[in-house]
mmCIF file of all heavy atoms in Angstrom:
data_model
loop_
_atom_site.group_PDB
_atom_site.id
_atom_site.type_symbol
_atom_site.label_atom_id
_atom_site.label_comp_id
_atom_site.label_asym_id
_atom_site.label_seq_id
_atom_site.Cartn_x
_atom_site.Cartn_y
_atom_site.Cartn_z
ATOM 1 N N PHE A 34 -8.583 -0.716 -6.378
ATOM 2 C CA PHE A 34 -9.833 -1.033 -5.535
ATOM 3 C C PHE A 34 -10.941 -1.214 -6.511
ATOM 4 O O PHE A 34 -11.299 -0.401 -7.322
ATOM 5 C CB PHE A 34 -10.108 0.122 -4.623
ATOM 6 C CG PHE A 34 -11.455 0.079 -3.934
ATOM 7 C CD1 PHE A 34 -11.875 -1.110 -3.215
ATOM 8 C CD2 PHE A 34 -12.346 1.164 -3.842
ATOM 9 C CE1 PHE A 34 -13.073 -1.234 -2.533
ATOM 10 C CE2 PHE A 34 -13.464 1.101 -3.165
ATOM 11 C CZ PHE A 34 -13.909 -0.102 -2.558
ATOM 12 N N LEU A 35 -11.560 -2.458 -6.509
ATOM 13 C CA LEU A 35 -12.644 -2.845 -7.311
ATOM 14 C C LEU A 35 -13.831 -3.097 -6.445
ATOM 15 O O LEU A 35 -13.911 -4.183 -5.859
ATOM 16 C CB LEU A 35 -12.299 -4.015 -8.171
ATOM 17 C CG LEU A 35 -13.448 -4.607 -9.072
ATOM 18 C CD1 LEU A 35 -14.018 -3.506 -9.972
ATOM 19 C CD2 LEU A 35 -12.976 -5.853 -9.849
ATOM 20 N N PRO A 36 -14.751 -2.127 -6.256
ATOM 21 C CA PRO A 36 -15.840 -2.359 -5.389
ATOM 22 C C PRO A 36 -16.767 -3.506 -6.043
ATOM 23 O O PRO A 36 -17.228 -3.306 -7.233
ATOM 24 C CB PRO A 36 -16.701 -1.070 -5.429
ATOM 25 C CG PRO A 36 -15.679 -0.028 -5.973
ATOM 26 C CD PRO A 36 -14.684 -0.822 -6.839
ATOM 27 N N SER A 37 -17.006 -4.526 -5.301
ATOM 28 C CA SER A 37 -17.813 -5.639 -5.823
ATOM 29 C C SER A 37 -18.689 -6.231 -4.721
ATOM 30 O O SER A 37 -18.484 -5.990 -3.574
ATOM 31 C CB SER A 37 -16.900 -6.694 -6.425
ATOM 32 O OG SER A 37 -16.107 -7.199 -5.467
ATOM 33 N N ALA A 38 -19.740 -6.976 -5.175
ATOM 34 C CA ALA A 38 -20.623 -7.617 -4.274
ATOM 35 C C ALA A 38 -20.993 -8.977 -4.850
ATOM 36 O O ALA A 38 -20.884 -9.184 -6.097
ATOM 37 C CB ALA A 38 -21.879 -6.855 -4.038
ATOM 38 N N PHE A 53 -19.994 -9.552 -8.654
ATOM 39 C CA PHE A 53 -20.260 -8.515 -9.600
ATOM 40 C C PHE A 53 -19.577 -7.243 -9.244
ATOM 41 O O PHE A 53 -19.716 -6.906 -8.039
ATOM 42 C CB PHE A 53 -21.781 -8.243 -9.754
ATOM 43 C CG PHE A 53 -22.506 -9.340 -10.445
ATOM 44 C CD1 PHE A 53 -23.104 -10.326 -9.721
ATOM 45 C CD2 PHE A 53 -22.756 -9.350 -11.769
ATOM 46 C CE1 PHE A 53 -23.881 -11.399 -10.221
ATOM 47 C CE2 PHE A 53 -23.489 -10.341 -12.402
ATOM 48 C CZ PHE A 53 -24.064 -11.354 -11.626
ATOM 49 N N PRO A 54 -19.059 -6.457 -10.232
ATOM 50 C CA PRO A 54 -18.602 -5.081 -9.880
ATOM 51 C C PRO A 54 -19.760 -4.240 -9.546
ATOM 52 O O PRO A 54 -20.842 -4.239 -10.195
ATOM 53 C CB PRO A 54 -17.870 -4.568 -11.180
ATOM 54 C CG PRO A 54 -18.107 -5.615 -12.211
ATOM 55 C CD PRO A 54 -18.911 -6.797 -11.619
ATOM 56 N N LEU A 55 -19.639 -3.345 -8.525
ATOM 57 C CA LEU A 55 -20.706 -2.521 -8.127
ATOM 58 C C LEU A 55 -20.936 -1.320 -9.157
ATOM 59 O O LEU A 55 -21.961 -0.800 -9.391
ATOM 60 C CB LEU A 55 -20.519 -1.839 -6.767
ATOM 61 C CG LEU A 55 -20.699 -2.861 -5.591
ATOM 62 C CD1 LEU A 55 -20.264 -2.191 -4.276
ATOM 63 C CD2 LEU A 55 -22.066 -3.447 -5.556
ATOM 64 N N PHE A 56 -19.780 -0.935 -9.812
ATOM 65 C CA PHE A 56 -19.734 0.038 -10.859
ATOM 66 C C PHE A 56 -19.323 -0.585 -12.137
ATOM 67 O O PHE A 56 -18.002 -0.383 -12.418
ATOM 68 C CB PHE A 56 -18.915 1.255 -10.384
ATOM 69 C CG PHE A 56 -19.305 2.002 -9.163
ATOM 70 C CD1 PHE A 56 -18.416 1.976 -8.128
ATOM 71 C CD2 PHE A 56 -20.560 2.381 -8.900
ATOM 72 C CE1 PHE A 56 -18.763 2.622 -6.897
ATOM 73 C CE2 PHE A 56 -20.947 3.026 -7.780
ATOM 74 C CZ PHE A 56 -20.021 3.095 -6.717
ATOM 75 N N LEU A 60 -13.072 1.115 -12.005
ATOM 76 C CA LEU A 60 -12.349 0.714 -10.750
ATOM 77 C C LEU A 60 -11.474 1.918 -10.369
ATOM 78 O O LEU A 60 -11.425 2.963 -11.121
ATOM 79 C CB LEU A 60 -11.628 -0.582 -10.925
ATOM 80 C CG LEU A 60 -10.497 -0.695 -12.022
ATOM 81 C CD1 LEU A 60 -9.241 -0.253 -11.538
ATOM 82 C CD2 LEU A 60 -10.443 -2.175 -12.340
ATOM 83 N N PHE A 61 -10.793 1.751 -9.172
ATOM 84 C CA PHE A 61 -10.050 2.914 -8.672
ATOM 85 C C PHE A 61 -8.521 2.499 -8.552
ATOM 86 O O PHE A 61 -8.272 1.352 -8.295
ATOM 87 C CB PHE A 61 -10.539 3.289 -7.340
ATOM 88 C CG PHE A 61 -12.023 3.727 -7.336
ATOM 89 C CD1 PHE A 61 -13.035 2.844 -7.036
ATOM 90 C CD2 PHE A 61 -12.324 5.021 -7.515
ATOM 91 C CE1 PHE A 61 -14.323 3.191 -7.142
ATOM 92 C CE2 PHE A 61 -13.598 5.517 -7.537
ATOM 93 C CZ PHE A 61 -14.677 4.540 -7.302
ATOM 94 N N LEU A 102 -16.976 4.208 0.893
ATOM 95 C CA LEU A 102 -17.359 3.107 -0.036
ATOM 96 C C LEU A 102 -16.763 1.824 0.448
ATOM 97 O O LEU A 102 -17.487 0.814 0.604
ATOM 98 C CB LEU A 102 -16.922 3.434 -1.438
ATOM 99 C CG LEU A 102 -17.212 2.358 -2.477
ATOM 100 C CD1 LEU A 102 -18.715 2.194 -2.626
ATOM 101 C CD2 LEU A 102 -16.654 2.871 -3.918
ATOM 102 N N ILE A 106 -18.839 -1.673 1.862
ATOM 103 C CA ILE A 106 -18.694 -2.945 1.279
ATOM 104 C C ILE A 106 -18.275 -3.899 2.435
ATOM 105 O O ILE A 106 -18.811 -5.100 2.486
ATOM 106 C CB ILE A 106 -17.631 -2.908 0.201
ATOM 107 C CG1 ILE A 106 -18.343 -2.215 -1.085
ATOM 108 C CG2 ILE A 106 -17.188 -4.355 -0.216
ATOM 109 C CD1 ILE A 106 -17.186 -1.776 -2.061
#
Side-chain angles (χ1 to χ4, degrees):
F34 171 49
L35 175 56
S37 61
F53 287 92
L55 290 176
F56 303 122
L60 58 89
F61 301 91
L102 181 58
I106 291 167

